[in-house]
Amino acid sequence: MHITYASFPYLSAILLSCVVGLLAIMLIPEERKALIRWVSAIFSGITLVLSACLFLAYDKSLGGLQFAEKASWVPSLGISYFNAADGFNLPLLLLTGIVFFTGVLTMWELEMRVKEFFAHYFLLVTAVFGLFMSMDLFFIFVWYDVSLFPMYLLIAVWGHTRKEYGAMKLTLYLLSGSALILPAIIYLFAKSGLHTFDILSLMQPGIFTAEQQKFAFLLLYLGFGILAGVWPFHTWSPVGHVAAPTGVSMVHAGVLMKVGAFGILRVAIFLCPEGWQYYAQLMALLAAIGIIYGALVGLRQTDLKYVIGYSSVSHMGVVGLGLATVTAQGLNGAVFQMFTHGVMTALLFSSVGYIYDRTHTKMIPELGGLSRIMPVASTYFIVAALAGMGVPGLANFWGELMVFIAAFKVYPVRGIVAVLALLVTALFMLRVVQRAFYGPGNERYAQLPDVTFCEGIPRMILVAVLVLFGLYPSLLLDVIQSASIPFMNGLPR
Amino acid sequence: MMKWVLFVPELFYTLMALVFFGASLSKKVDPRRLYVWALALAGMGLLVSVLFARQEGMLFFDAYRVDLFSQVFKVLLALGTFWVIFSCSELKGINERQHAEFYFLMAVCTLAMMMLVSAVELLTIYVAIELSSYSLYLLVSMRQRADEYVETGIKYFMIGVTASAFMIFGISLLFGMVKSTYVIDVVRVLPTVIAQPAAVVGLVLALSGFFFKQALFPFHIWAPDVYQGAANQVTTYIGTASKMAAAAMVIRFVGFSGGESGVLIKLLVALSILSMTFGNLVAIIQKDLKRLLAYSSIAHAGYMMIGILSMSQRGFASAIYYALAYLVMTYACFMVIMRIAEDGRNLQIKELAGLHKRSPLLAMTLMLGLFGLAGIPPTVGFTGKFLVFAAALEKGYLALVIIGMINATISLYYYLIVIKAAYLLEPVHPYPAVYVDSWTRYLSIILVLAMVYLGVFPDQFVALTEAAARSLP
């Protein structure tokens, strides 16, 4: 694979701005809440700008790994600090930047233990950034576990609705995922005989036998699959998303579930392509079940956040189906869907967070007629819901379209069933919109204020991103293709 | 004459013991002054151990070997002792009149354990382990209101002497097989006769004395009661320094077989799995923080065993690293306990409520310590687990590693319960504010930095442990 080393270390700069922000927050006295918010906004803004620059500066015609940085970390174990960007992780780095910044703005009104919240939040995002950009197996695992570190407290302290249960369930599920990943990683390390954790060296064809690949792939797929919300290991996700505070739900559903899917792509598929081809049928089956199951369960929910939680399970099923096709088109669709689903879910949670902070309820029957009381806030939610239904003109349409075209060719039956399930998703999204935002209003909420311009900024950014990539998908698609097509061509047949 | 240089750390602790023996004869000694003396001497002891860490040689008719392996563990022992004595500024768990004896026994016990890690002759080993055990029996029974905790001392003593009896019987069997008590002969001859049942039985029985100290299942029965019943400082000492000596000896003895005995390895695998699973499952239901840490120590003895039973140099090195990590993390947790329970009482988990407000620094130290014990990066505990598992996988123990990781997941549950109490629970009635003096604050910061630094930049220490493992006979 072609590697270009960085003239300016963009990737380390992203990590550094997160870490410096974290340290700055820790040094500010707890009482100065306004200052903490501004510092958080500035540093998350810097990361957003950096990740956007990175996205635009990537040379699509050249392809391969760019902005690479490499330094030996623990030579005796073959661990190196190796970051690089390619078409697979660039969209996700951009996504993380967007969700991070908008998440900080969404949590602007937080009053309880502000300093600790933003410190944990920065640590979480640092880990996610680190994972997306790393090309070293050891670092990928470390970043995965570091992201668990702040998660428990973020949900248990600042969450609501059975928060302690949700936080504990989520943490234990994700750690069991890592219990499968670590043995697989060390297994590959030991079997390769190369004494390195470098993905580029390990992904050369012929290093692992087919049997080794099958074995390691299964462990890695299940381990990362737990985080990606693959059915039947998804049960932590709706509970955790409901319990988490708004900003954390955004990062969690928007970015962290993608970490799981990305882990399957970067670690399992990159290193064990034969295992991937062997287990593709199983992956497609689980993904199709996830799509249908998420949609049907979502239909029965009365809690707004549970609706979003189950729609995430369904949408992440689409990502899984794309990965299971073993085609370049499927990979394109999967990565595209990861990006757009992240933005869309962040927008949904952000809108629900606003409504919940005002009405103090997320129960759909208690809401109603909100579009007359707070028309702007409702619009944001409705745009996100339309995106979730896959309406053309918004970015999600393209991701789902690409995945389904690819899936039809390979798995006709599962593809058709999954498309039908998307109709159910559309149905329940519309039902939510109808019941919560139209129909008779609830008198109690008649006096509530609408979103002001400033409060609306994070949601505007998210809507703008959805519309931009909805109208101009090739901006994203070209980047992804620069990685997926060479990767598929390089696979042994 | 030059040879005595090798023995300087031990001589220093002998001197320290004599000083406090003298002090214990006097009727009126100010406890504050004793504390300052003890702290100064323990600090010097640490310095001496570090300065003499690079010595190598043999002493006492080759019964005593000074090499990098023993010196690394001596530094760890001195460090543990220094930390424990550092936390004795409010030694409320022990009668004021017995403070001099307390420091005396600490010095003797440290001396004995230092001799233990250097001894390479079976009877010397036995004498050293008995010396340290008897000091600990006395230390455990010294707690104030001993009548409430009388069961503790007796239980510890009874199980302890039983384990020593097993051990001396095992040693006698080894002697029968090898016709020598020198470790160097044992290492040479034992692998050739390990197929015979008597050799395996002898080795396992001899090991049981160390398993007892290490609290490995099924030699763990004393641990919860002793952790709970001993004064907080003594518990800390047993949980940190004493564990180091036990780990060193288990590493040395298991290495005797040369990895030739399938029976022995199967047995160790079984003990490791039982120890991890039992410790973690029972820890879940604990209400007393010290008891919880006791069960967690049983589990950690199991993790460490994974590295040791790999029987490779890398495996032994990983176990040494794990011991170092365990010392730092466990001490961090115990330091928080000793600070919060200043009057020397036992600490219930729920008493941690609101700790993040009462003392954010202690809360953070505790959180990092517990996350480290659970093996979450970027703490030193993760690096330790990683090295241990990597060593085991190189030898193909995949199932064992997966069981170990599942156990780490289980353990996170109860560690999170403690963290939840510190960060989330609001106190039912206001607990007294926690007083943190500036020295404790510095130490907390050092511990936090050490846990993260060793986790993120393990390179030099990995190299050190590998060098230490190479120096094993």
Side-chain angles (χ1 to χ4, degrees):
Chain A
M1 195 184 286
H2 182 80
I3 305 184
T4 322
Y5 284 89
S7 51
F8 174 77
Y10 276 109
L11 293 165
S12 293
I14 290 177
L15 279 186
L16 197 67
S17 76
C18 291
V19 173
V20 172
L22 172 65
L23 294 177
I25 292 169
M26 284 174 76
L27 291 176
I28 302 174
E30 192 161 356
E31 306 80 54
R32 310 199 53 187
K33 294 179 181 172
L35 183 64
I36 293 174
R37 290 186 192 115
W38 276 106
V39 168
S40 312
I42 289 168
F43 280 99
S44 58
I46 293 173
T47 42
L48 173 60
V49 171
L50 281 171
S51 51
C53 288
L54 191 74
F55 186 79
L56 295 174
Y58 184 79
D59 187 344
K60 285 174 266 193
S61 54
L62 195 62
L65 289 176
Q66 298 183 14
F67 313 106
E69 306 155 4
K70 193 168 185 179
S72 189
W73 195 269
V74 185
S76 57
L77 289 170
I79 300 168
S80 56
Y81 173 81
F82 182 17
N83 291 336
D86 67 356
F88 289 134
N89 64 5
L90 270 173
L92 297 168
L93 289 170
L94 179 64
L95 169 71
T96 313
I98 295 170
V99 174
F100 181 31
F101 182 63
T102 54
V104 168
L105 295 188
T106 304
M107 294 309 283
W108 205 257
E109 294 161 22
L110 182 79
E111 287 295 334
M112 187 181 76
R113 294 164 76 173
V114 178
K115 175 178 168 175
E116 287 171 73
F117 178 84
F118 281 110
H120 283 102
Y121 192 68
F122 266 67
L123 184 59
L124 171 65
V125 175
T126 313
V128 174
F129 267 122
L131 193 146
F132 280 141
M133 64 180 68
S134 180
M135 288 299 286
D136 185 273
L137 274 184
F138 181 84
F139 266 90
I140 287 184
F141 180 78
V142 167
W143 289 123
Y144 176 98
D145 262 16
V146 172
S147 70
L148 291 182
F149 193 86
M151 191 48 92
Y152 177 79
L153 287 176
L154 276 173
I155 297 177
V157 175
W158 291 275
H160 34 70
T161 329
R162 293 209 295 166
K163 55 185 182 178
E164 287 165 33
Y165 169 75
M168 186 64 92
K169 183 166 185 173
L170 182 146
T171 315
L172 292 184
Y173 260 76
L174 300 196
L175 199 71
S176 6
S178 83
L180 297 172
I181 298 169
L182 183 65
I185 287 180
I186 307 179
Y187 176 81
L188 291 176
F189 171 75
K191 291 290 173 197
S192 75
L194 295 177
H195 204 72
T196 178
F197 283 97
D198 183 346
I199 290 181
L200 271 192
S201 319
L202 293 174
M203 70 182 286
Q204 304 302 329
I207 290 183
F208 303 112
T209 65
E211 289 307 311
Q212 288 168 346
Q213 293 194 16
K214 282 176 200 167
F215 175 73
F217 183 86
L218 193 62
L219 283 182
L220 290 168
Y221 172 63
L222 294 179
F224 282 115
I226 291 177
L227 183 52
V230 169
W231 186 90
F233 312 108
H234 66 281
T235 58
W236 60 270
S237 111
V239 182
H241 293 165
V242 171
T246 309
V248 178
S249 298
M250 287 168 68
V251 172
H252 212 280
V255 181
L256 218 66
M257 286 178 90
K258 277 83 209 166
V259 165
F262 179 75
I264 295 177
L265 174 62
R266 178 70 97 206
V267 182
I269 293 179
F270 263 51
L271 297 185
C272 312
E274 289 182 52
W276 178 36
Q277 286 156 359
Y278 183 78
Y279 283 110
Q281 294 278 346
L282 174 73
M283 288 171 72
L285 184 67
L286 292 184
I289 296 178
I291 297 173
I292 300 160
Y293 178 88
L296 290 179
V297 178
L299 199 58
R300 298 290 304 159
Q301 300 303 317
T302 51
D303 183 317
L304 261 183
K305 280 184 115 177
Y306 265 114
V307 172
I308 309 173
Y310 279 105
S311 84
S312 282
V313 173
S314 183
H315 283 127
M316 287 307 289
V318 176
V319 174
L321 190 62
L323 294 177
T325 57
V326 200
T327 57
Q329 208 169 17
L331 288 184
N332 290 342
V335 178
F336 205 102
Q337 170 79 357
M338 282 190 220
F339 178 83
T340 55
H341 174 250
V343 179
M344 176 207 82
T345 320
L347 182 57
L348 278 175
F349 277 119
S350 177
S351 317
V352 173
Y354 180 83
I355 294 167
Y356 176 74
D357 287 344
R358 302 298 176 287
T359 61
H360 301 290
T361 181
K362 304 178 288 192
M363 305 311 287
I364 297 166
E366 292 176 29
L367 299 166
L370 282 180
S371 65
R372 287 189 296 279
I373 302 163
M374 28 177 113
V376 184
S378 310
T379 309
Y380 291 130
F381 185 91
I382 293 167
V383 169
L386 289 175
M389 284 181 258
V391 170
L394 294 168
N396 296 58
F397 170 72
W398 298 107
E400 293 179 4
L401 186 69
M402 280 184 271
V403 169
F404 287 125
I405 290 176
F408 269 131
K409 290 181 194 157
V410 191
Y411 311 109
V413 179
R414 275 165 266 193
I416 292 170
V417 174
V419 172
L420 290 180
L422 277 196
L423 289 181
V424 182
T425 315
L427 176 67
F428 79 68
M429 281 292 189
L430 284 176
R431 267 165 45 116
V432 170
V433 169
Q434 184 218 345
R435 290 205 189 149
F437 296 96
Y438 297 97
N442 190 330
E443 288 310 312
R444 266 192 300 165
Y445 308 130
Q447 302 308 318
L448 293 176
D450 200 354
V451 184
T452 62
F453 181 79
C454 288
E455 288 166 340
I457 289 175
R459 286 119 196 158
M460 282 179 224
I461 297 173
L462 293 167
V463 170
V465 173
L466 283 180
V467 174
L468 172 69
F469 290 106
L471 297 179
Y472 189 27
S474 62
L475 189 62
L476 189 61
L477 189 58
D478 287 348
V479 174
I480 303 172
Q481 274 184 332
S482 73
S484 62
I485 292 175
F487 176 71
M488 290 308 296
N489 289 340
L491 279 190
R493 290 286 155 195
Chain B
M1 192 57 210
M2 272 309 288
K3 276 202 160 183
W4 288 100
V5 174
L6 303 175
F7 206 54
V8 167
E10 287 84 342
L11 285 177
F12 182 85
Y13 280 93
T14 317
L15 181 78
M16 180 172 167
L18 285 176
V19 168
F20 287 107
F21 178 67
S24 72
L25 298 178
S26 147
K27 266 190 185 153
K28 282 186 195 154
V29 187
D30 178 22
R32 277 313 298 178
R33 184 179 297 169
L34 268 180
Y35 169 69
V36 173
W37 269 97
L39 189 62
L41 285 172
M44 278 164 66
L46 177 61
L47 196 66
V48 169
S49 317
V50 173
L51 287 180
F52 288 82
R54 280 295 177 177
Q55 299 292 330
E56 273 180 29
M58 306 293 285
L59 279 174
F60 308 131
F61 309 102
D62 290 347
Y64 201 82
R65 184 181 154 109
V66 175
D67 54 18
L68 191 59
F69 178 78
S70 72
Q71 301 309 84
V72 164
F73 273 101
K74 278 177 201 169
V75 171
L76 293 183
L77 284 169
L79 185 65
T81 310
F82 173 70
W83 277 345
V84 172
I85 290 187
F86 178 85
S87 316
C88 290
S89 57
E90 304 285 333
L91 194 51
K92 296 259 173 67
I94 287 172
N95 193 333
E96 267 194 15
R97 285 182 51 201
Q98 292 176 338
H99 279 194
E101 280 97 329
F102 170 81
Y103 294 122
F104 166 65
L105 289 170
M106 289 279 267
V108 172
C109 193
T110 310
L111 167 69
M113 291 196 283
M114 286 192 164
M115 287 167 59
L116 187 61
V117 296
S118 261
V120 286
E121 196 263 347
L122 293 177
L123 289 177
T124 319
I125 291 173
Y126 183 73
V127 170
I129 198 171
E130 287 304 283
L131 184 58
S132 75
S133 293
Y134 275 84
S135 326
L136 285 178
Y137 299 148
L138 290 171
L139 280 170
V140 167
S141 331
M142 269 174 115
R143 186 169 199 181
Q144 250 179 356
R145 294 182 304 164
D147 44 340
E148 272 178 45
Y149 297 109
V150 70
E151 185 198 338
T152 305
I154 293 177
K155 198 168 185 176
Y156 190 40
F157 178 72
M158 294 306 286
I159 300 173
V161 289
T162 315
S164 327
F166 277 136
M167 188 179 165
I168 194 82
F169 183 51
I171 287 178
S172 71
L173 283 176
L174 284 183
F175 176 71
M177 300 300 293
V178 181
K179 311 279 190 301
S180 161
T181 56
Y182 281 97
V183 164
I184 190 118
D185 298 321
V186 177
V187 174
R188 189 168 46 79
V189 180
L190 203 59
T192 60
V193 293
I194 195 81
Q196 299 182 30
V200 176
V201 171
L203 192 56
V204 170
L205 285 179
L207 274 170
S208 63
F210 305 118
F211 289 163
F212 162 76
K213 289 221 142 204
Q214 214 191 3
L216 190 81
F217 185 92
F219 304 92
H220 64 280
I221 316 165
W222 59 274
D225 289 328
V226 169
Y227 270 53
Q228 191 181 19
N232 291 346
Q233 280 80 3
V234 176
T235 308
T236 312
Y237 188 72
I238 293 176
T240 54
S242 167
K243 285 279 182 330
M244 293 306 106
M249 292 323 287
V250 172
I251 293 171
R252 175 160 276 167
F253 264 66
V254 171
F256 283 0
S257 71
E260 302 292 326
S261 167
V263 181
L264 179 68
I265 292 184
K266 282 201 189 86
L267 185 74
L268 293 180
V269 169
L271 288 185
S272 160
I273 292 175
L274 284 170
S275 203
M276 289 188 290
T277 315
F278 174 83
N280 280 327
L281 289 181
V282 183
I284 290 176
I285 53 169
Q286 300 307 319
K287 302 267 185 292
D288 183 302
L289 194 49
K290 284 201 294 177
R291 248 185 125 78
L292 183 139
L293 285 172
Y295 282 106
S296 119
S297 83
I298 298 169
H300 281 276
Y303 295 128
M304 210 184 292
M305 186 52 81
I306 296 181
I308 298 172
L309 61 82
S310 310
M311 296 281 183
S312 59
Q313 220 156 59
R314 197 179 275 276
F316 295 143
S318 73
I320 301 173
Y321 194 89
Y322 201 91
L324 164 75
Y326 184 74
L327 173 73
V328 180
M329 298 180 298
T330 316
Y331 181 74
C333 298
F334 273 113
M335 191 196 72
V336 175
I337 295 177
M338 288 186 283
R339 266 306 127 196
I340 298 172
E342 282 216 303
D343 53 357
R345 66 180 189 279
N346 283 346
L347 197 66
Q348 303 296 311
I349 293 174
K350 59 175 189 272
E351 287 179 68
L352 291 172
L355 184 67
H356 72 97
K357 266 187 225 148
R358 288 148 71 200
S359 169
L361 186 63
L362 286 186
M364 190 167 139
T365 314
L366 181 69
M367 180 172 80
L368 269 173
L370 291 172
F371 270 133
L373 287 171
I376 306 271
T379 59
V380 62
F382 165 72
T383 316
K385 277 209 175 69
F386 178 82
L387 292 171
V388 165
F389 290 157
L393 266 183
E394 269 181 10
K395 291 280 177 174
Y397 295 108
L398 186 69
L400 185 61
V401 170
I402 292 180
I403 293 174
M405 282 301 290
I406 291 170
N407 265 294
T409 311
I410 299 173
S411 73
L412 186 67
Y413 175 75
Y414 59 82
Y415 294 129
L416 278 181
I417 290 179
V418 180
I419 293 172
K420 184 179 92 183
Y423 273 87
L424 197 58
L425 292 188
E426 290 305 323
V428 203
H429 51 85
Y431 289 114
V434 179
Y435 171 69
V436 182
D437 59 77
S438 50
W439 286 107
T440 309
R441 186 169 301 140
Y442 296 139
L443 184 61
S444 301
I445 294 170
I446 290 172
L447 283 170
V448 166
L449 291 180
M451 281 188 277
V452 176
Y453 181 84
L454 287 173
V456 180
F457 303 101
D459 209 27
Q460 300 154 334
F461 293 90
V462 172
L464 180 70
T465 55
E466 282 181 352
R470 265 196 301 280
S471 70
L472 273 172

